[in-house]
Amino acid sequence: MSGITGDMLRRWFETVNCSDMYRWWHPRDHEYGVWLTDADYEASTSLVARQGKIHRVKERIGGKMNKLDIFFHDPCVGKDCEVLKTQGVELILSGKVHAHLTLTGRVYAGFFIHTLRVDDTGSTLHSRFTMGKGVHCLDNPNSWSCFFLDTFQWFVKKAMLSEKNAGAMFTHCKEEMF
């Protein structure tokens, strides 16, 4: 990502506010993206103000459409992020991901962290995803489908973390950076 700075990427996240802008990031895979917010938040363009807010998106990963709620949070709470800044990290973004599934409703699916490192050779965006750990129902936790999800965690985790899904996520992230 030649020439991209932390301030530039931060500004993009501060200003993306509709599906058209969200599609700019990945025109083929990103279909929909809106912030679920209150009136006070709508007027804000601060990335800090987006902490604790929900970005509802529909995007394709490996050709499969996913409806997700991304809960952005401050990745430095309880952690020493100053050491990362001394190593050239100019931006850190993180969030929890909830997937909307037909049978269960919203399900906690994992979390991510993006770090943008800048050095003499340019910018590198690193993305780390933790998927399948602690998967649980958020809606209708007493339903049969949620009982199945909770009872067969190992199966759900194996399905989420298949080589095919991991490869699709890798490809999606790589395409977002070019």
Coordinates of all heavy atoms in Angstrom, one line a residue, residues 79-146:
K79 N -4.2 -2.7 27.4 CA -2.9 -3.1 26.7 C -2.0 -1.9 26.4 O -2.5 -0.8 26.4 CB -3.3 -3.7 25.3 CG -4.2 -5.0 25.4 CD -4.6 -5.5 24.1 CE -5.5 -6.6 24.2 NZ -6.8 -6.3 24.7
D80 N -0.8 -2.2 26.3 CA 0.2 -1.1 26.1 C 0.4 -1.0 24.6 O 1.2 -1.7 24.0 CB 1.5 -1.4 26.8 CG 2.5 -0.3 26.6 OD1 2.2 0.8 26.1 OD2 3.7 -0.5 27.0
C81 N -0.3 -0.1 23.9 CA -0.1 0.1 22.5 C 1.0 1.1 22.2 O 1.3 1.2 21.0 CB -1.5 0.6 21.9 SG -2.7 -0.6 21.9
E82 N 1.6 1.8 23.2 CA 2.7 2.7 22.9 C 3.8 2.0 22.3 O 4.5 2.5 21.4 CB 3.1 3.4 24.2 CG 2.0 4.4 24.7 CD 1.6 5.4 23.7 OE1 2.5 6.0 23.0 OE2 0.4 5.6 23.5
V83 N 4.1 0.7 22.7 CA 5.2 0.0 22.1 C 5.0 -0.3 20.6 O 6.0 -0.2 19.8 CB 5.5 -1.3 22.9 CG1 4.4 -2.3 22.6 CG2 6.8 -1.9 22.5
L84 N 3.8 -0.4 20.2 CA 3.5 -0.6 18.8 C 3.8 0.6 18.0 O 4.3 0.6 16.9 CB 2.1 -1.0 18.5 CG 1.7 -2.4 19.1 CD1 0.2 -2.6 18.9 CD2 2.4 -3.5 18.4
K85 N 3.5 1.8 18.6 CA 3.8 3.1 17.9 C 5.3 3.3 17.7 O 5.7 3.8 16.6 CB 3.2 4.2 18.7 CG 1.7 4.2 18.6 CD 1.1 5.3 19.5 CE -0.4 5.2 19.5 NZ -1.1 6.1 20.4
T86 N 6.1 2.8 18.6 CA 7.6 2.9 18.4 C 8.1 2.0 17.3 O 9.2 2.1 16.8 CB 8.3 2.6 19.7 OG1 8.1 1.2 20.1 CG2 7.9 3.5 20.9
Q87 N 7.2 1.0 16.9 CA 7.6 0.1 15.8 C 7.0 0.4 14.5 O 6.9 -0.4 13.6 CB 7.2 -1.3 16.2 CG 7.9 -1.8 17.5 CD 7.3 -3.1 18.0 OE1 6.3 -3.7 17.5 NE2 7.9 -3.7 19.0
G88 N 6.5 1.7 14.4 CA 5.9 2.2 13.1 C 4.4 1.9 12.9 O 3.9 2.2 11.8
V89 N 3.7 1.4 13.9 CA 2.3 1.2 13.8 C 1.6 2.5 13.9 O 1.7 3.2 15.0 CB 1.7 0.2 14.8 CG1 0.2 0.1 14.7 CG2 2.4 -1.2 14.5
E90 N 0.9 3.0 12.9 CA 0.2 4.3 12.9 C -1.3 4.2 13.1 O -1.9 5.2 13.4 CB 0.5 5.0 11.6 CG 1.9 5.5 11.4 CD 2.0 6.4 10.2 OE1 1.0 6.8 9.6 OE2 3.2 6.8 9.9
L91 N -1.9 3.0 13.0 CA -3.3 2.8 13.2 C -3.6 1.4 13.7 O -3.0 0.5 13.1 CB -4.0 3.1 11.9 CG -5.6 3.0 11.9 CD1 -6.1 4.1 12.8 CD2 -6.2 3.1 10.6
I92 N -4.5 1.3 14.7 CA -4.9 0.0 15.2 C -6.5 0.1 15.2 O -7.0 1.0 15.8 CB -4.4 -0.2 16.6 CG1 -2.9 -0.1 16.6 CG2 -4.9 -1.6 17.0 CD1 -2.3 -0.2 18.0
L93 N -7.1 -0.8 14.6 CA -8.6 -0.9 14.6 C -8.9 -2.4 15.0 O -8.3 -3.3 14.6 CB -9.2 -0.7 13.2 CG -9.0 0.7 12.6 CD1 -9.4 0.6 11.1 CD2 -9.8 1.7 13.3
S94 N -10.0 -2.5 15.8 CA -10.4 -3.8 16.2 C -11.9 -3.9 16.4 O -12.5 -2.8 16.7 CB -9.6 -4.4 17.4 OG -10.0 -3.6 18.5
G95 N -12.5 -5.1 16.4 CA -13.9 -5.2 16.6 C -14.3 -6.7 16.8 O -13.6 -7.6 16.4
K96 N -15.5 -6.8 17.3 CA -16.1 -8.1 17.5 C -17.0 -8.3 16.3 O -17.7 -7.3 15.9 CB -16.9 -8.2 18.8 CG -16.0 -8.1 20.0 CD -16.9 -8.1 21.3 CE -16.0 -7.9 22.5 NZ -16.8 -7.8 23.7
V97 N -17.2 -9.5 15.8 CA -18.0 -9.8 14.7 C -19.2 -10.7 15.1 O -18.9 -11.8 15.7 CB -17.2 -10.4 13.5 CG1 -18.1 -10.7 12.3 CG2 -16.0 -9.6 13.1
H98 N -20.4 -10.3 14.7 CA -21.6 -11.1 14.9 C -22.1 -11.4 13.6 O -22.3 -10.5 12.7 CB -22.6 -10.4 15.7 CG -22.2 -10.1 17.1 ND1 -23.0 -9.3 18.0 CD2 -21.1 -10.4 17.9 CE1 -22.4 -9.2 19.1 NE2 -21.3 -9.9 19.1
A99 N -22.3 -12.7 13.3 CA -22.9 -13.1 12.0 C -24.4 -13.3 12.2 O -24.9 -13.8 13.2 CB -22.3 -14.5 11.6
H100 N -25.2 -13.0 11.1 CA -26.6 -13.2 11.1 C -26.8 -14.5 10.4 O -26.6 -14.7 9.2 CB -27.3 -12.1 10.4 CG -27.3 -10.8 11.1 ND1 -28.4 -10.3 11.7 CD2 -26.3 -9.9 11.3 CE1 -28.1 -9.1 12.3 NE2 -26.8 -8.9 12.0
L101 N -27.3 -15.5 11.1 CA -27.6 -16.8 10.5 C -29.1 -17.1 10.5 O -29.8 -16.7 11.4 CB -26.9 -17.9 11.3 CG -25.4 -17.8 11.5 CD1 -24.8 -18.9 12.4 CD2 -24.7 -17.7 10.2
T102 N -29.5 -17.8 9.5 CA -31.0 -18.1 9.2 C -31.6 -18.8 10.4 O -32.7 -18.4 10.9 CB -31.2 -18.9 8.0 OG1 -30.6 -18.2 6.9 CG2 -32.6 -19.1 7.7
L103 N -31.0 -19.8 10.9 CA -31.6 -20.7 11.9 C -31.5 -20.1 13.4 O -32.3 -20.3 14.2 CB -31.0 -22.1 11.9 CG -31.4 -22.9 10.7 CD1 -30.7 -24.2 10.7 CD2 -32.9 -23.1 10.5
T104 N -30.4 -19.4 13.6 CA -30.2 -19.0 15.0 C -30.3 -17.5 15.3 O -30.3 -17.1 16.4 CB -28.7 -19.4 15.4 OG1 -27.8 -18.7 14.5 CG2 -28.6 -20.9 15.4
G105 N -30.3 -16.7 14.3 CA -30.3 -15.2 14.5 C -28.8 -14.8 14.6 O -27.9 -15.4 14.0
R106 N -28.5 -13.8 15.4 CA -27.1 -13.3 15.5 C -26.3 -14.3 16.4 O -26.8 -14.8 17.4 CB -27.1 -11.9 16.2 CG -27.6 -10.8 15.3 CD -27.6 -9.5 16.0 NE -28.3 -9.6 17.3 CZ -27.7 -9.2 18.4 NH1 -26.5 -8.7 18.4 NH2 -28.4 -9.3 19.5
V107 N -25.1 -14.5 15.9 CA -24.2 -15.4 16.6 C -22.8 -14.7 16.7 O -22.3 -14.1 15.7 CB -24.0 -16.7 15.7 CG1 -22.9 -17.6 16.3 CG2 -25.3 -17.5 15.7
Y108 N -22.2 -14.8 17.9 CA -20.9 -14.3 18.0 C -19.9 -15.2 17.2 O -19.9 -16.4 17.4 CB -20.4 -14.2 19.5 CG -19.0 -13.9 19.7 CD1 -18.6 -12.5 19.6 CD2 -18.0 -14.8 19.9 CE1 -17.3 -12.2 19.7 CE2 -16.7 -14.5 20.1 CZ -16.3 -13.2 20.0 OH -15.0 -12.8 20.1
A109 N -19.2 -14.6 16.3 CA -18.4 -15.4 15.4 C -16.9 -15.2 15.6 O -16.1 -16.0 15.2 CB -18.7 -15.0 13.9
G110 N -16.5 -14.1 16.2 CA -15.0 -13.9 16.4 C -14.7 -12.4 16.5 O -15.6 -11.6 16.8
F111 N -13.4 -12.1 16.4 CA -13.0 -10.7 16.4 C -11.8 -10.5 15.5 O -11.2 -11.5 14.9 CB -12.6 -10.3 17.8 CG -11.4 -10.9 18.4 CD1 -10.2 -10.4 18.3 CD2 -11.5 -12.1 19.1 CE1 -9.1 -11.0 18.8 CE2 -10.5 -12.7 19.7 CZ -9.2 -12.2 19.5
F112 N -11.5 -9.3 15.2 CA -10.4 -9.0 14.3 C -9.6 -7.8 14.9 O -10.1 -7.0 15.7 CB -10.9 -8.6 12.9 CG -11.6 -7.3 12.8 CD1 -10.9 -6.1 12.6 CD2 -12.9 -7.2 13.1 CE1 -11.5 -4.9 12.6 CE2 -13.6 -6.0 13.0 CZ -12.9 -4.9 12.8
I113 N -8.4 -7.6 14.4 CA -7.6 -6.5 14.6 C -6.8 -6.1 13.3 O -6.3 -7.0 12.7 CB -6.6 -6.6 15.8 CG1 -5.9 -5.3 16.1 CG2 -5.6 -7.8 15.6 CD1 -5.2 -5.3 17.5
H114 N -6.8 -4.9 12.9 CA -6.1 -4.4 11.8 C -5.0 -3.4 12.3 O -5.3 -2.5 13.1 CB -6.9 -3.6 10.8 CG -8.1 -4.3 10.2 ND1 -7.9 -5.6 9.6 CD2 -9.4 -4.0 10.1 CE1 -9.1 -6.0 9.2 NE2 -10.0 -5.1 9.4
T115 N -3.8 -3.6 11.9 CA -2.7 -2.6 12.2 C -2.1 -2.1 10.9 O -1.8 -2.9 10.0 CB -1.6 -3.3 13.1 OG1 -1.1 -4.4 12.5 CG2 -2.2 -3.7 14.5
L116 N -1.9 -0.8 10.8 CA -1.2 -0.3 9.7 C 0.2 0.2 10.1 O 0.4 1.0 11.0 CB -1.9 0.9 9.1 CG -1.3 1.6 7.9 CD1 -1.5 0.7 6.7 CD2 -1.8 3.0 7.6
R117 N 1.2 -0.5 9.6 CA 2.6 -0.2 9.9 C 3.2 0.6 8.7 O 3.1 0.2 7.6 CB 3.4 -1.5 10.1 CG 4.8 -1.3 10.6 CD 5.5 -2.6 10.8 NE 4.7 -3.5 11.6 CZ 4.9 -3.6 13.0 NH1 5.7 -2.8 13.6 NH2 4.2 -4.5 13.7
V118 N 3.9 1.7 9.0 CA 4.6 2.5 8.0 C 6.1 2.5 8.2 O 6.5 2.7 9.4 CB 4.0 3.9 8.0 CG1 4.7 4.8 6.9 CG2 2.5 3.9 7.7
D119 N 6.8 2.3 7.2 CA 8.3 2.4 7.3 C 8.8 3.0 6.0 O 8.1 3.4 5.1 CB 8.9 1.0 7.6 CG 8.7 -0.1 6.6 OD1 8.5 0.3 5.4 OD2 8.7 -1.2 7.0
D120 N 10.1 2.9 5.8 CA 10.8 3.5 4.6 C 10.3 2.8 3.3 O 10.4 3.5 2.2 CB 12.3 3.4 4.7 CG 12.8 4.2 5.9 OD1 12.1 5.1 6.3 OD2 14.0 3.9 6.3
T121 N 9.9 1.6 3.3 CA 9.5 0.9 2.1 C 8.0 1.1 1.8 O 7.6 0.7 0.7 CB 9.8 -0.6 2.2 OG1 9.0 -1.1 3.3 CG2 11.2 -0.8 2.5
G122 N 7.2 1.7 2.7 CA 5.8 1.9 2.4 C 5.0 1.5 3.6 O 5.4 1.5 4.7
S123 N 3.7 1.2 3.3 CA 2.7 0.8 4.3 C 2.3 -0.6 4.2 O 2.2 -1.1 3.1 CB 1.5 1.7 4.2 OG 1.8 3.1 4.2
T124 N 2.1 -1.3 5.3 CA 1.6 -2.6 5.3 C 0.5 -2.7 6.3 O 0.6 -2.3 7.4 CB 2.7 -3.6 5.8 OG1 3.9 -3.4 5.0 CG2 2.3 -5.0 5.7
L125 N -0.7 -3.2 5.8 CA -1.8 -3.5 6.7 C -1.8 -4.9 7.0 O -1.9 -5.8 6.2 CB -3.1 -3.1 5.9 CG -4.4 -3.2 6.8 CD1 -4.3 -2.2 7.9 CD2 -5.6 -2.9 5.9
H126 N -1.7 -5.2 8.3 CA -1.8 -6.5 8.9 C -3.2 -6.8 9.4 O -3.7 -5.9 10.2 CB -0.8 -6.8 10.0 CG 0.6 -6.7 9.5 ND1 1.3 -7.8 9.1 CD2 1.5 -5.6 9.4 CE1 2.5 -7.4 8.7 NE2 2.7 -6.1 8.9
S127 N -3.8 -7.9 9.1 CA -5.1 -8.2 9.7 C -5.1 -9.6 10.3 O -4.5 -10.5 9.8 CB -6.2 -8.3 8.5 OG -6.3 -7.0 7.9
R128 N -5.6 -9.6 11.5 CA -5.6 -10.9 12.3 C -7.1 -11.1 12.7 O -7.7 -10.3 13.2 CB -4.7 -10.8 13.5 CG -4.8 -12.1 14.3 CD -3.8 -12.1 15.4 NE -2.5 -12.3 14.7 CZ -1.4 -12.4 15.3 NH1 -1.3 -12.2 16.6 NH2 -0.2 -12.6 14.6
F129 N -7.5 -12.3 12.4 CA -8.9 -12.7 12.7 C -8.9 -13.9 13.6 O -8.1 -14.9 13.4 CB -9.7 -13.1 11.4 CG -9.8 -12.0 10.5 CD1 -8.8 -11.7 9.5 CD2 -10.9 -11.2 10.5 CE1 -8.9 -10.7 8.6 CE2 -11.0 -10.1 9.6 CZ -10.1 -9.9 8.7
T130 N -9.7 -13.9 14.6 CA -9.9 -15.1 15.5 C -11.4 -15.4 15.3 O -12.3 -14.7 15.6 CB -9.7 -14.7 17.0 OG1 -8.3 -14.3 17.1 CG2 -9.9 -15.9 17.8
M131 N -11.6 -16.6 14.7 CA -12.9 -17.1 14.3 C -13.2 -18.4 15.0 O -12.3 -19.2 15.1 CB -13.1 -17.2 12.8 CG -12.9 -15.9 12.1 SD -12.6 -16.0 10.3 CE -13.7 -17.2 9.8
G132 N -14.4 -18.6 15.4 CA -14.9 -19.9 15.9 C -14.6 -20.1 17.4 O -15.0 -21.1 17.9
K133 N -13.9 -19.2 18.0 CA -13.6 -19.3 19.5 C -14.8 -18.7 20.2 O -15.0 -17.5 20.1 CB -12.3 -18.7 19.8 CG -11.9 -18.9 21.2 CD -10.5 -18.3 21.5 CE -10.1 -18.5 22.9 NZ -8.8 -18.0 23.2
G134 N -15.4 -19.5 21.0 CA -16.5 -18.9 21.9 C -17.8 -18.6 21.1 O -18.5 -17.7 21.5
V135 N -18.0 -19.3 20.0 CA -19.2 -19.1 19.2 C -20.4 -19.3 20.1 O -20.5 -20.3 20.8 CB -19.3 -20.0 18.0 CG1 -20.6 -19.9 17.3 CG2 -18.1 -19.7 17.0
H136 N -21.4 -18.4 20.1 CA -22.6 -18.6 20.9 C -23.7 -17.7 20.3 O -23.5 -16.7 19.7 CB -22.4 -18.3 22.4 CG -22.0 -16.9 22.6 ND1 -20.6 -16.5 22.6 CD2 -22.7 -15.8 23.0 CE1 -20.6 -15.2 22.8 NE2 -21.8 -14.7 23.1
C137 N -25.0 -18.1 20.6 CA -26.1 -17.4 20.1 C -26.4 -16.1 20.9 O -26.2 -16.1 22.2 CB -27.4 -18.3 20.3 SG -27.5 -19.6 19.1
L138 N -26.8 -15.1 20.3 CA -27.1 -13.8 20.9 C -28.6 -13.6 20.9 O -29.1 -13.0 21.8 CB -26.4 -12.7 20.2 CG -24.9 -12.8 20.2 CD1 -24.3 -11.8 19.2 CD2 -24.3 -12.5 21.6
D139 N -29.3 -14.2 19.9 CA -30.8 -14.1 19.9 C -31.3 -15.5 20.1 O -30.7 -16.5 19.7 CB -31.2 -13.7 18.5 CG -30.7 -12.3 18.1 OD1 -30.5 -11.4 19.0 OD2 -30.4 -12.1 16.9
N140 N -32.4 -15.6 20.8 CA -33.1 -16.9 21.0 C -32.2 -18.0 21.6 O -32.1 -19.1 21.0 CB -33.7 -17.4 19.7 CG -34.6 -16.4 19.0 OD1 -35.4 -15.7 19.7 ND2 -34.4 -16.2 17.7
P141 N -31.5 -17.7 22.7 CA -30.5 -18.7 23.1 C -31.1 -20.0 23.6 O -30.4 -21.0 23.7 CB -29.9 -18.0 24.3 CG -30.8 -16.9 24.7 CD -31.5 -16.5 23.5
N142 N -32.4 -20.1 23.8 CA -33.1 -21.3 24.2 C -33.7 -22.1 23.1 O -34.4 -23.1 23.3 CB -34.2 -21.0 25.3 CG -33.5 -20.4 26.5 OD1 -32.5 -20.9 27.0 ND2 -34.2 -19.5 27.1
S143 N -33.5 -21.7 21.8 CA -34.0 -22.4 20.7 C -33.3 -23.7 20.4 O -32.1 -23.8 20.9 CB -34.0 -21.5 19.4 OG -32.6 -21.3 19.0
W144 N -33.9 -24.6 19.7 CA -33.2 -25.8 19.4 C -32.0 -25.6 18.5 O -31.0 -26.3 18.7 CB -34.2 -26.8 18.6 CG -35.1 -27.4 19.5 CD1 -36.4 -27.2 19.7 CD2 -34.8 -28.5 20.4 NE1 -37.0 -28.0 20.7 CE2 -36.0 -28.8 21.2 CE3 -33.6 -29.2 20.7 CZ2 -36.0 -29.8 22.1 CZ3 -33.7 -30.2 21.7 CH2 -34.9 -30.5 22.4
S145 N -32.0 -24.7 17.6 CA -30.8 -24.4 16.8 C -29.7 -23.9 17.6 O -28.5 -24.2 17.4 CB -31.2 -23.4 15.6 OG -31.8 -22.3 16.1
C146 N -30.0 -23.1 18.6 CA -28.9 -22.6 19.5 C -28.4 -23.7 20.4 O -27.2 -23.7 20.7 CB -29.4 -21.4 20.3 SG -29.5 -19.9 19.3

